[in-house]
Amino acid sequence: MQMFIAGELCNAAAGQTTEIRNPATGEAVDTVPKATVEDARRAIESAHQAFPSWSQMAASDRAALMFKGAQNVKEHIPEIAELLTREQGKTLLESRIETQRLAENLEFFAGLHGALRGQHVEIAKPKAYGMVIKRPLGVVGSIVPWNFPLTLMANKICPALIVGNTVVVKPASTAPLAIARCVELINAAGFPPGVLNVVTGPGAVVGEELIAHPLVRKIGFTGETETGKRVMAQASNELKHVTLELGGSDPMIVCDDANIPEAIRAAGVGRFFNCGQACLAIKRLYLFDAIADEFIEGLKQNAEQRWKVGNGMDKATRMGPLHTAGQREEVEKMVQDAVGRGAEVLTGGKRPTGVEYERGNFYLPTLLVDVPEDALIAREECFGPALPIFRVKNLDEAIDKANNSKYGLGSSIWTRDIRNAHAASERIEAGYTWVNSLQIAVDELPFGGTKQSGFGKEHGTEVLDHYSELKSVMVGVA
Ligand code: NDP
């Protein structure tokens, strides 16, 4: 696979490559160029050159290219999904959904082209009128992690492009293939050279060059909180705009009046989808005492029966491997820490056995009860399929415990009582509260965290403000 810079496929100038390995089998999937600072600069300069004509093009023309780009992606869903599964580990179904979401996101933001507008303001003295116009920023750097490469790229490039920015994408070093292929396919719609580039290379080299280079006006970043802090500190040198989508430890609260079967299903999807490697996965479960036993039994059955672990290419698989061996070790460390502090493993808590699992980073869906609140898994982000379960007496206790976290990304509550739902919406410290619904981020609503989960929004029309700046214009009419 090659990178895409200045309208063409290319290799790294220095000729180096990185091998991408399949997390389920350990086999080599492909190689990508291992870009250096020189390659990153070439992409940035090409995006800079493309900016004037792209930003002055009618938004409807930009939209037409994005619609065509979406069509190109849709026509290649089976191919892209297979590539994504082989490099990332997720199931084919998850990869298909993700590829489809990239196309939908392109269409959603292309569809907003007619809604881009500013304001008109009457001014009395001196007699004039004012306008507040919105202008694109210029070159935008999109730094993307490996857990949802395509949707997390889409969240950044789609709003950036429709308002007239040009973009350089930096995928994660371990999951660049589907991104590189999709950028190529989107460009095949006829985008002018330099508008959308992808540079594959290490975060410490390509990522840091995007952050340091004076021509890049904004960094959209998703990843670990500690990396996000570094991005923000470095971006301050050039006073760049930043959007930071960082870690989360989302609480799910189940009240005693909830629809229990639906909530069990949602807890399973919320924790085990994508092998638990999602920023807004459910990472702490708070159950009202009255329903706790019934819920725990139902969720145990769900974890053991529904989430068949295996190679993502196998149709029967519901949960693939962890993306890297290091990710699996992190989860194991957290489970062991909890057990060492007195927690009980209700199910899972180990690697599956059998020849088909020997070469991949597999781990069983895991539920933990009696977890002390100072356990790592309760305090830090657990980026894998292990869920600590806590019992609470009432809603006040549930909300207090939910808020006892440095993170504030998503949250959810299951209840039939509007007062409980209202209290959770008002009082949980998070960027999102789902009420009786699956914890997924839709295009229509702004998504982003508070506290150490970052700031800035993706999705919704609100994201457009994070990829543009306001300018005042005053027109004298006296
Ligand atoms: P990182 O934050 O290190 O990586 C995310 C992206 O940032 C990658 O593209 C990475 O590139 C890039 N990057 C890394 N270092 C720099 C840098 N100094 N400057 C600019 N860009 C940089 O996350 P990891 O992939 O290492 O995952 C580690 C942990 O982070 C996970 O275990 C999980 O807990 C959390 N995480 C959370 C996510 C979320 O959505 N909440 C998403 C991903 C991870 P490269 O791959 O080349 O290093």
Side-chain angles (χ1 to χ4, degrees):
M1 190 74 66
Q2 291 179 296
M3 308 188 283
F4 200 91
I5 299 178
E8 51 190 35
L9 292 167
C10 60
N11 295 321
Q16 287 188 310
T17 56
T18 305
E19 191 172 59
I20 306 303
R21 294 201 160 265
N22 185 329
T25 62
E27 289 161 358
V29 181
D30 201 347
T31 60
V32 281
K34 187 173 179 187
T36 60
V37 167
E38 189 188 337
D39 302 299
R41 285 189 186 151
R42 199 161 74 78
I44 293 165
E45 281 155 19
S46 140
H48 179 65
Q49 276 168 19
F51 177 67
S53 56
W54 178 249
S55 58
Q56 285 159 33
M57 182 188 279
S60 54
D61 291 341
R62 290 197 294 266
L65 289 169
M66 289 171 69
F67 279 122
K68 178 77 176 57
Q71 188 57 34
N72 289 353
V73 170
K74 281 198 249 180
E75 282 166 12
H76 291 81
I77 286 178
E79 174 208 330
I80 300 162
E82 185 175 328
L83 195 56
L84 183 54
T85 290
R86 290 172 67 220
E87 69 172 331
Q88 205 281 343
K90 62 182 71 196
T91 66
L92 269 180
L93 175 66
E94 289 166 340
S95 292
R96 260 191 236 114
I97 294 172
E98 183 164 345
T99 314
Q100 179 76 28
R101 291 289 298 126
L102 165 62
E104 287 168 2
N105 211 264
L106 280 161
E107 288 169 346
F108 178 83
F109 284 101
L112 292 180
H113 70 85
L116 304 174
R117 63 190 60 195
Q119 284 179 314
H120 172 273
V121 184
E122 189 184 306
I123 296 164
K125 259 191 204 171
K127 192 158 176 50
Y129 69 88
M131 292 185 293
V132 184
I133 61 174
K134 290 184 182 176
R135 295 174 46 74
L137 297 164
V139 180
V140 165
S142 302
I143 303 180
V144 182
W146 46 262
N147 55 334
F148 292 98
L150 298 183
T151 42
L152 295 174
M153 173 179 76
N155 290 353
K156 296 163 183 57
I157 68 170
C158 301
L161 290 172
I162 193 60
V163 299
N165 299 285
T166 55
V167 184
V168 179
V169 180
K170 206 288 295 168
S173 288
T174 50
L177 297 172
I179 283 189
R181 179 70 177 125
C182 286
V183 168
E184 180 190 352
L185 286 166
I186 295 168
N187 268 287
F191 278 74
V195 168
L196 178 61
N197 309 273
V198 60
V199 183
T200 53
V205 178
V206 175
E208 294 207 4
E209 181 58 19
L210 282 174
I211 302 166
H213 200 296
L215 289 179
V216 178
R217 296 286 324 283
K218 165 159 188 145
I219 298 291
F221 172 84
T222 302
E224 196 183 11
T225 294
E226 289 312 310
T227 321
K229 289 179 186 173
R230 221 183 131 123
V231 168
M232 186 171 168
Q234 289 174 342
S236 72
N237 291 330
E238 290 287 330
L239 286 178
K240 286 183 209 278
H241 299 244
V242 286
T243 293
L244 300 174
E245 297 290 350
L246 309 177
S249 179
D250 290 10
M252 172 181 184
I253 298 172
V254 185
C255 301
D256 50 6
D257 61 351
N259 179 328
I260 302 297
E262 273 186 25
I264 288 172
R265 190 179 147 264
V269 176
R271 180 65 281 198
F272 302 127
F273 188 79
N274 212 43
C275 196
Q277 302 163 117
C279 51
L280 49 73
I282 292 164
K283 298 190 181 122
R284 293 174 290 147
L285 176 60
Y286 296 100
L287 303 175
F288 275 36
D289 270 329
I291 49 89
D293 289 340
E294 177 192 355
F295 197 98
I296 289 169
E297 184 48 38
L299 187 57
K300 182 169 179 286
Q301 280 179 25
N302 178 287
E304 288 171 353
Q305 292 166 15
R306 192 182 160 93
W307 298 93
K308 185 184 173 325
V309 176
N311 186 332
M313 295 296 291
D314 181 346
K315 281 207 173 103
T317 296
R318 287 289 164 271
M319 196 176 93
L322 276 297
H323 181 54
T324 61
Q327 282 300 131
R328 178 169 65 175
E329 280 164 23
E330 281 292 312
V331 177
E332 288 176 330
K333 195 173 85 186
M334 287 194 176
V335 171
Q336 278 155 18
D337 169 81
V339 170
R341 292 169 194 261
E344 184 198 334
V345 175
L346 202 66
T347 185
K350 56 181 189 227
R351 303 175 181 189
T353 47
V355 256
E356 71 269 40
Y357 299 120
E358 276 167 8
R359 288 162 61 213
N361 311 315
F362 298 100
Y363 195 73
L364 288 170
T366 297
L367 299 174
L368 295 160
V369 289
D370 299 330
V371 182
E373 297 215 20
D374 60 353
L376 279 178
I377 200 164
R379 288 187 286 119
E380 302 295 332
E381 175 173 45
C382 178
F383 220 59
L387 181 64
I389 303 173
F390 307 91
R391 292 167 186 261
V392 289
K393 285 191 290 297
N394 54 38
L395 191 60
D396 283 340
E397 185 186 354
I399 293 178
D400 284 350
K401 289 194 164 154
N403 286 341
N404 184 22
S405 169
K406 63 184 172 188
Y407 297 112
L409 194 56
S411 57
S412 57
I413 182 162
W414 290 77
T415 180
R416 288 188 172 98
D417 187 333
I418 188 75
R419 291 166 299 186
N420 290 343
H422 179 72
S425 312
E426 286 286 314
R427 287 166 47 200
I428 296 181
E429 296 161 357
Y432 223 121
T433 296
W434 283 267
V435 179
N436 297 332
S437 53
L438 269 185
Q439 204 153 314
I440 48 168
V442 293
D443 285 337
E444 290 82 351
L445 287 175
F447 168 76
T450 180
K451 303 202 283 191
Q452 300 226 356
S453 294
F455 54 79
K457 294 293 176 193
E458 294 188 334
H459 295 286
T461 52
E462 288 78 2
V463 66
L464 301 175
D465 292 337
H466 293 272
Y467 282 94
S468 30
E469 55 195 354
L470 301 180
K471 183 179 187 186
S472 292
V473 178
M474 182 164 142
V475 183
V477 293

